[in-house]
Every structure is written in structure tokens, then in C-alpha cells.
Amino acid sequence: MNFSTLSGHGYLFIGGLILVGAGLLIISLIFNLRVAHSVREDVRYREKLHEYYRNIFSQLGVILIGIGVSLFIFFFQQNYQDRRKREVELQQVYAKLALRVARGAAIAGSLDAFDELLDDGGAYRNPEDGGANRVVNASGEALANQVAKLLLVERDVDAGEFEVMNVSRDFEASFVANELDPVLWFNIVRDESDLRYATTQLALDYKDLHEAIGDQPIAMAMGDPERLARIKQEVLDIFYDADLLRQRSRKVLGRACWFYSKGLDFVALRPVAAIEADAKSQQDWLAMARPVLERSKSGNGDCYKLLHYDLPQSGG
């Protein structure tokens, strides 16, 4: 039991013990007055009887008060130890959070290569959701250029490094997982799950693209209509998972930086719609989250700058 219990049943129990003990002492004083009266009246039998009751009530009162005070001291010491333990644990989690934000910011810089491709001609959206920018509609020479750039990006972006953004690992091993707002905790776990899915699928997508191209030069491989259709599909798969990767990684990083900017009070935070929203595109989410992230400071900058994305003034 800790000191927080004293605000409930524990407090009533200890308070009750002390009050009952004090009441018994008052009763013993009353019997003491009767003892004095019996002495003056020289009533020996009544004097002895009142002395017996006085001693019983006084002893019980002292015992109950002693128990109540002892319990209070015990709970107070236990609470102090629990609070110290909590503070140390919170500081450790906060230090790990700062480290993940710093490493995540460095990794987020590699997403620029995907941004340049995905937002060519407007904000990327999955073709099934109405996406119609140059990335989605590319064909012929434009598609060949996309494939060439994607193969270069494969070497620049190490999807495995994004594992460092999994802040839930630090939270779940501490009390933070129990005290954090349930909506925030659910969103953190969900976004990290999507991030792991994206990194896994992206590696498989690239493998499939290499198989579709084969040993031939890109232009020659695309001369075969059947192979061309497969290459186009693999390119679209890569773009879909690359977009999921950048959206979830930036969302996880932005939220973690927002936590960090609040200091040790981040445990008491409540969800902010601008950060937690599921936007239709990366640009839509950044436009909503930017005001909140710019007000959240991290080091010498703000949380928006850590995301390494220049939001266009107008987007498709």
C-alpha cells in the first residue's frame, strides 16, 4: 500500500483508529473523575471498579493511537520510497526518449530521397484513393527514370534503422505504459506496428523489383510489355510502402519530440488531434501538426524541423 491509499479507505482506517483511541482516552478521563469522586465519598468498591474501567479505556486508547501513528509513519515512508523509485524510473525513461528522438531525427533526414519522388507533381496518395500525381501516372521514359532513382534510394535509406524509433519498448517496461493516456498508448503501438510493416514490406518490394528487371538494363527490360506491367506494379508497391514508412516514422518522431518537449510531465499528456489525426497524405498531416510541433521545442530547434520536410506552399 502506498500513501495514495490514504486518500481513500486507508486514510479513513488510520483516522478512525486515532479518533477511537482519542475517544477512549476521553472516556478514561471521565472514569478518572469518578474515581476521585468515589475517593471523596469513601466508596471503596466503586473506586476500584472505576479504576479498572479507567485503566482499560486508557490502555486501549493508547494502543489504538499508537497503531494509527505507526501505520501513518509506515505509509508515509513507503510513499516516499515509491515516489523516489517512480522519479528515478521516469528520469530513465525520459533519458531514453531523448536518445530516441535524437537518433530518429538523424534517420528522418534520409526520407528526403523518398519525398522528392513521392511528391513529384503534388502530394502522394495511393492510386486506390485517387492519387494522380506524376509518381502514380508515370510511364515510358518517366517510369524508367523513376526506377533508376528508386534503385539509388535503396542504398540511401536503410529501412532497418527505423527500429530505433520504437519508444513503446521503453514505456512498456515501466509504469508509463499504465499511466499514459490509453488513446496515446494505443496510437503509439499502432503507428510503430505500421512502421515495422512498412520496413519489412519495403525490403520485399525492392527484391520483387530486382526480380522483375532481371539482369537486363532497365530500358531493355521495359521493352517487354509483360515485364513492363510487372515493373510498374512493383514501383507502385514501393511507393505505397515508402509513403507509409515516411508518414509513420515522422508521426512517431513528432509525437516523441512533443513528449520530450514537455519534460517529465509528458506522462500526463492528453491526445492532440493535430498529431493523432489519420490524414490522407503526408502533406495534409504535416500541415495540421506543424503549428503544434513548432511550439514544441527540442534542443535549439523545434519538433517540426526534426522531421526534415519542407512543406510546399500549395500541394496537390
Side-chain angles (χ1 to χ4, degrees):
M1 184 184 294
N2 56 39
F3 193 73
S4 62
T5 310
L6 297 181
S7 61
H9 297 294
Y11 176 85
L12 294 176
F13 178 69
I14 292 176
L17 285 178
I18 295 175
L19 287 177
V20 171
L24 292 175
L25 288 179
I26 293 174
I27 294 174
S28 72
L29 291 176
I30 295 174
F31 276 103
N32 189 59
L33 294 176
R34 292 185 177 182
V35 169
H37 180 73
S38 299
V39 170
R40 288 194 300 269
E41 296 292 330
D42 194 21
V43 182
R44 301 296 298 174
Y45 170 76
R46 188 176 299 173
E47 176 187 344
K48 295 295 182 181
L49 182 63
H50 288 163
E51 283 182 352
Y52 173 77
Y53 287 137
R54 179 194 64 186
N55 293 337
I56 291 294
F57 284 118
S58 64
Q59 290 173 3
L60 285 177
V62 170
I63 290 173
L64 291 180
I65 291 176
I67 293 174
V69 172
S70 298
L71 286 176
F72 179 83
I73 293 174
F74 170 77
F75 288 148
F76 184 83
Q77 292 176 335
Q78 187 66 38
N79 171 68
Y80 177 77
Q81 294 175 357
D82 290 344
R83 289 179 62 183
R84 286 295 303 160
K85 180 180 178 181
R86 183 184 185 278
E87 289 174 1
V88 171
E89 190 173 338
L90 182 57
Q91 289 173 352
Q92 291 175 345
V93 172
Y94 186 69
K96 292 178 181 179
L97 178 64
L99 183 60
R100 290 192 181 276
V101 169
R103 290 179 175 175
I107 296 171
S110 64
L111 295 173
D112 293 344
F114 278 131
D115 292 334
E116 183 180 352
L117 283 168
L118 286 166
D119 296 330
D120 182 16
Y124 172 84
R125 287 184 175 83
N126 182 34
E128 296 179 0
D129 298 328
N133 65 354
R134 282 190 286 273
V135 167
V136 174
N137 295 326
S139 61
E141 184 179 354
L143 179 58
N145 291 335
Q146 278 187 5
V147 174
K149 290 180 180 179
L150 279 176
L151 295 178
L152 292 175
V153 173
E154 182 183 14
R155 296 195 296 268
D156 295 336
V157 180
D158 184 358
E161 291 184 349
F162 288 88
E163 186 72 14
V164 76
M165 295 187 181
N166 290 340
V167 299
S168 65
R169 290 184 176 178
D170 302 327
F171 290 175
E172 67 185 6
S174 70
F175 71 90
V176 174
N178 294 325
E179 292 192 10
L180 198 65
D181 183 270
V183 174
L184 281 174
W185 178 243
F186 173 81
N187 288 346
I188 289 172
V189 175
R190 182 198 62 178
D191 292 338
E192 290 179 355
S193 178
D194 288 345
L195 182 56
R196 285 191 293 271
Y197 171 84
T199 56
T200 301
Q201 288 300 120
L202 198 57
L204 297 175
D205 293 339
Y206 267 112
K207 180 181 178 181
D208 293 340
L209 178 60
H210 284 293
E211 291 178 355
I213 297 173
D215 298 330
Q216 298 178 335
I218 297 175
M220 186 176 296
M222 293 177 61
D224 181 354
E226 187 173 320
R227 184 171 290 183
L228 173 61
R230 184 181 174 189
I231 291 175
K232 176 64 176 179
Q233 184 58 51
E234 299 304 336
V235 168
L236 291 177
D237 289 345
I238 289 176
F239 283 143
Y240 176 84
D241 291 318
D243 183 58
L244 182 62
L245 171 67
R246 68 173 184 164
Q247 286 201 45
R248 292 299 181 262
S249 61
R250 282 186 170 126
K251 192 172 184 179
V252 168
L253 177 58
R255 184 193 293 115
C257 183
W258 175 57
F259 280 177
Y260 176 73
S261 71
K262 303 302 181 182
L264 299 180
D265 294 330
F266 76 89
V267 179
L269 289 174
R270 294 293 178 264
V272 173
I275 295 178
E276 304 304 325
D278 291 324
K280 294 182 179 179
S281 72
Q282 173 82 118
Q283 291 186 12
D284 290 344
W285 180 80
L286 286 166
M288 289 186 293
R290 183 171 187 172
V292 177
L293 296 179
E294 284 184 334
R295 292 194 301 269
S296 304
K297 302 301 178 182
S298 175
N300 295 327
D302 59 64
C303 293
Y304 181 79
K305 291 181 180 178
L306 291 184
L307 304 185
H308 294 279
Y309 189 92
D310 295 324
L311 188 62
Q313 296 299 318
S314 61

